[in-house]
Amino acid sequence: LVMERVEGGSLTSFAAGKNITLKTNPTKEDARESYENFRTIFLQLAHILKTLHENKIIFTDFSPNNVIVNSATMEVKLIDFEGAYEVDVDAPVPLFTPGFVAPAQMSGQSSSAESDFFALGATMHYYLAPVNQIFAIHPKARYGFVKSVIEDIGFPKVLYTLISKLIDKSAAKR
Protein backbone atom coordinates (compact mmCIF):
# COMPACT_ATOMS: atom_id res chain seq x y z
CA LEU A 1 0.00 0.00 0.00
CA VAL A 2 1.58 3.28 -1.11
CA MET A 3 0.92 6.14 1.31
CA GLU A 4 3.07 8.87 -0.25
CA ARG A 5 5.96 9.39 -2.63
CA VAL A 6 9.20 9.92 -0.72
CA GLU A 7 11.95 11.70 -2.64
CA GLY A 8 15.39 10.17 -2.42
CA GLY A 9 17.04 6.79 -2.40
CA SER A 10 17.83 4.13 0.16
CA LEU A 11 20.58 4.66 2.71
CA THR A 12 22.21 1.61 1.11
CA SER A 13 22.51 3.47 -2.21
CA PHE A 14 23.52 6.74 -0.56
CA ALA A 15 26.29 5.06 1.43
CA ALA A 16 27.59 3.28 -1.66
CA GLY A 17 27.91 6.59 -3.50
CA LYS A 18 29.21 8.78 -0.67
CA ASN A 19 31.10 6.47 1.66
CA ILE A 20 34.70 7.45 2.29
CA THR A 21 35.73 3.85 2.97
CA LEU A 22 34.92 3.03 -0.65
CA LYS A 23 37.28 5.72 -2.05
CA THR A 24 40.78 4.74 -3.12
CA ASN A 25 42.58 8.00 -2.23
CA PRO A 26 40.36 10.01 0.13
CA THR A 27 41.38 13.54 1.09
CA LYS A 28 40.85 15.35 4.40
CA GLU A 29 37.98 17.20 2.71
CA ASP A 30 36.44 13.83 1.76
CA ALA A 31 36.72 12.76 5.41
CA ARG A 32 35.12 15.99 6.65
CA GLU A 33 32.26 15.72 4.16
CA SER A 34 31.75 12.04 4.93
CA TYR A 35 31.60 12.70 8.66
CA GLU A 36 29.12 15.57 8.18
CA ASN A 37 26.88 13.33 6.05
CA PHE A 38 27.15 10.54 8.64
CA ARG A 39 26.37 12.92 11.51
CA THR A 40 23.45 14.59 9.70
CA ILE A 41 21.85 11.27 8.78
CA PHE A 42 22.26 9.49 12.10
CA LEU A 43 21.23 12.41 14.30
CA GLN A 44 17.96 12.49 12.34
CA LEU A 45 17.53 8.73 12.64
CA ALA A 46 18.18 8.83 16.39
CA HIS A 47 15.58 11.59 16.71
CA ILE A 48 13.07 9.59 14.64
CA LEU A 49 13.57 6.50 16.83
CA LYS A 50 13.28 8.63 19.98
CA THR A 51 9.97 10.05 18.71
CA LEU A 52 8.65 6.59 17.82
CA HIS A 53 9.64 5.16 21.21
CA GLU A 54 8.16 8.13 23.10
CA ASN A 55 4.91 7.25 21.33
CA LYS A 56 5.31 3.56 22.27
CA ILE A 57 6.03 2.49 18.69
CA ILE A 58 8.71 -0.15 18.06
CA PHE A 59 9.92 -0.09 14.46
CA THR A 60 11.19 -3.72 14.54
CA ASP A 61 12.81 -3.93 11.07
CA PHE A 62 15.23 -1.00 11.05
CA SER A 63 17.86 -1.38 8.30
CA PRO A 64 19.51 0.75 5.58
CA ASN A 65 16.94 -0.34 3.01
CA ASN A 66 14.14 1.09 5.19
CA VAL A 67 15.79 4.53 5.35
CA ILE A 68 15.35 7.01 2.51
CA VAL A 69 17.87 9.85 2.12
CA ASN A 70 17.09 12.88 0.00
CA SER A 71 20.62 13.73 -1.17
CA ALA A 72 19.60 17.29 -2.12
CA THR A 73 18.27 18.19 1.34
CA MET A 74 19.90 15.45 3.45
CA GLU A 75 16.50 14.76 5.01
CA VAL A 76 15.88 11.16 6.04
CA LYS A 77 12.64 9.23 6.38
CA LEU A 78 11.77 5.72 7.49
CA ILE A 79 9.70 3.52 5.21
CA ASP A 80 8.18 0.04 5.43
CA PHE A 81 6.42 0.12 8.76
CA GLU A 82 4.92 -3.37 8.29
CA GLY A 83 6.89 -4.70 11.28
CA ALA A 84 6.16 -1.74 13.54
CA TYR A 85 3.81 -2.14 16.48
CA GLU A 86 2.39 -0.11 19.32
CA VAL A 87 3.45 -1.39 22.75
CA ASP A 88 0.54 -2.81 24.81
CA VAL A 89 -1.78 -2.49 21.78
CA ASP A 90 -0.43 -4.63 18.94
CA ALA A 91 1.25 -8.01 18.91
CA PRO A 92 4.94 -7.81 17.93
CA VAL A 93 5.71 -9.16 14.47
CA PRO A 94 8.72 -11.50 14.08
CA LEU A 95 10.23 -9.53 11.20
CA PHE A 96 13.88 -8.50 10.78
CA THR A 97 16.72 -8.03 8.33
CA PRO A 98 19.76 -10.29 8.82
CA GLY A 99 22.81 -8.28 9.85
CA PHE A 100 20.66 -5.63 11.57
CA VAL A 101 18.83 -7.69 14.15
CA ALA A 102 19.62 -7.93 17.85
CA PRO A 103 20.65 -11.43 18.96
CA ALA A 104 17.63 -11.87 21.26
CA GLN A 105 15.22 -10.80 18.53
CA MET A 106 16.84 -13.19 16.06
CA SER A 107 16.41 -15.96 18.64
CA GLY A 108 12.66 -15.39 18.77
CA GLN A 109 12.18 -12.74 21.47
CA SER A 110 9.88 -9.85 20.65
CA SER A 111 11.44 -6.69 19.30
CA SER A 112 11.86 -3.78 21.68
CA ALA A 113 13.25 -0.27 21.84
CA GLU A 114 16.61 -1.89 22.64
CA SER A 115 16.45 -4.01 19.49
CA ASP A 116 15.72 -0.85 17.48
CA PHE A 117 18.85 0.67 19.07
CA PHE A 118 20.86 -2.39 18.05
CA ALA A 119 19.64 -1.97 14.47
CA LEU A 120 20.59 1.73 14.57
CA GLY A 121 24.12 0.80 15.65
CA ALA A 122 24.32 -1.93 13.02
CA THR A 123 23.16 0.59 10.41
CA MET A 124 25.85 3.03 11.52
CA HIS A 125 28.38 0.22 11.21
CA TYR A 126 27.04 -0.63 7.76
CA TYR A 127 27.37 2.99 6.63
CA LEU A 128 31.04 2.94 7.61
CA ALA A 129 31.73 -0.53 6.17
CA PRO A 130 28.93 -2.51 4.46
CA VAL A 131 29.84 -6.00 5.70
CA ASN A 132 27.21 -6.68 8.40
CA GLN A 133 26.01 -10.04 7.13
CA ILE A 134 29.41 -11.68 7.77
CA PHE A 135 29.12 -10.98 11.48
CA ALA A 136 26.59 -13.77 11.86
CA ILE A 137 29.60 -16.06 11.53
CA HIS A 138 31.82 -14.21 14.03
CA PRO A 139 29.79 -11.56 15.93
CA LYS A 140 32.69 -10.23 18.04
CA ALA A 141 34.67 -9.36 14.91
CA ARG A 142 32.42 -6.36 14.32
CA TYR A 143 34.04 -4.48 17.23
CA GLY A 144 37.59 -4.68 15.93
CA PHE A 145 36.43 -4.05 12.41
CA VAL A 146 34.51 -0.86 13.18
CA LYS A 147 37.31 0.39 15.47
CA SER A 148 39.83 0.00 12.64
CA VAL A 149 37.59 1.75 10.13
CA ILE A 150 36.93 4.71 12.45
CA GLU A 151 40.64 5.08 13.21
CA ASP A 152 41.64 4.73 9.55
CA ILE A 153 39.25 7.42 8.29
CA GLY A 154 39.83 9.77 11.22
CA PHE A 155 36.31 9.94 12.61
CA PRO A 156 36.00 10.85 16.32
CA LYS A 157 36.92 7.92 18.60
CA VAL A 158 33.72 8.43 20.60
CA LEU A 159 31.89 7.07 17.57
CA TYR A 160 33.44 3.65 18.26
CA THR A 161 32.14 3.77 21.84
CA LEU A 162 28.66 4.76 20.64
CA ILE A 163 28.41 2.05 17.98
CA SER A 164 29.87 -0.59 20.32
CA LYS A 165 27.26 0.16 22.97
CA LEU A 166 24.43 0.15 20.42
CA ILE A 167 25.44 -3.25 19.02
CA ASP A 168 26.18 -4.84 22.39
CA LYS A 169 24.62 -8.28 22.88
CA SER A 170 23.23 -7.08 26.21
CA ALA A 171 20.07 -5.01 25.68
CA ALA A 172 20.71 -3.23 29.01
CA LYS A 173 23.98 -1.76 27.67
CA ARG A 174 22.28 -0.20 24.66
Side-chain angles (χ1 to χ4, degrees):
L1 176 65
V2 176
M3 302 292 290
E4 71 177 283
R5 177 170 168 71
V6 178
E7 294 294 326
S10 71
L11 182 59
T12 301
S13 296
F14 183 87
K18 298 281 189 176
N19 194 312
I20 190 170
T21 63
L22 301 177
K23 293 186 179 227
T24 54
N25 292 310
T27 64
K28 286 185 179 183
E29 179 60 25
D30 291 332
R32 188 200 60 73
E33 181 183 337
S34 182
Y35 179 68
E36 283 305 312
N37 287 339
F38 179 92
R39 188 174 183 277
T40 298
I41 289 167
F42 287 101
L43 282 174
Q44 288 179 75
L45 289 172
H47 180 72
I48 290 168
L49 279 181
K50 179 180 183 254
T51 301
L52 288 172
H53 294 163
E54 286 174 348
N55 288 284
K56 297 184 177 186
I57 304 294
I58 305 302
F59 191 75
T60 302
D61 189 22
F62 189 100
S63 72
N65 285 323
N66 291 340
V67 176
I68 299 295
V69 180
N70 182 324
S71 58
T73 64
M74 292 302 292
E75 182 181 17
V76 300
K77 292 191 176 189
L78 289 181
I79 61 168
D80 294 341
F81 277 74
E82 71 270 10
Y85 71 94
E86 187 174 357
V87 177
D88 298 327
V89 174
D90 304 313
V93 178
L95 185 67
F96 56 82
T97 301
F100 302 93
V101 58
Q105 186 184 355
M106 192 166 61
S107 297
Q109 289 185 15
S110 295
S111 56
S112 63
E114 291 79 14
S115 57
D116 281 352
F117 295 147
F118 181 95
L120 176 64
T123 301
M124 294 169 116
H125 188 293
Y126 177 87
Y127 186 92
L128 295 173
V131 293
N132 290 42
Q133 284 76 1
I134 69 169
F135 297 124
I137 298 166
H138 184 33
K140 290 182 182 178
R142 71 175 74 224
Y143 297 100
F145 195 86
V146 76
K147 183 177 183 183
S148 293
V149 170
I150 288 169
E151 288 174 356
D152 287 350
I153 61 177
F155 278 16
K157 290 182 186 347
V158 71
L159 197 53
Y160 169 74
T161 303
L162 174 63
I163 293 171
S164 294
K165 287 184 186 256
L166 287 169
I167 62 173
D168 197 288
K169 185 176 181 177
S170 169
K173 292 183 180 179
R174 294 183 214 134

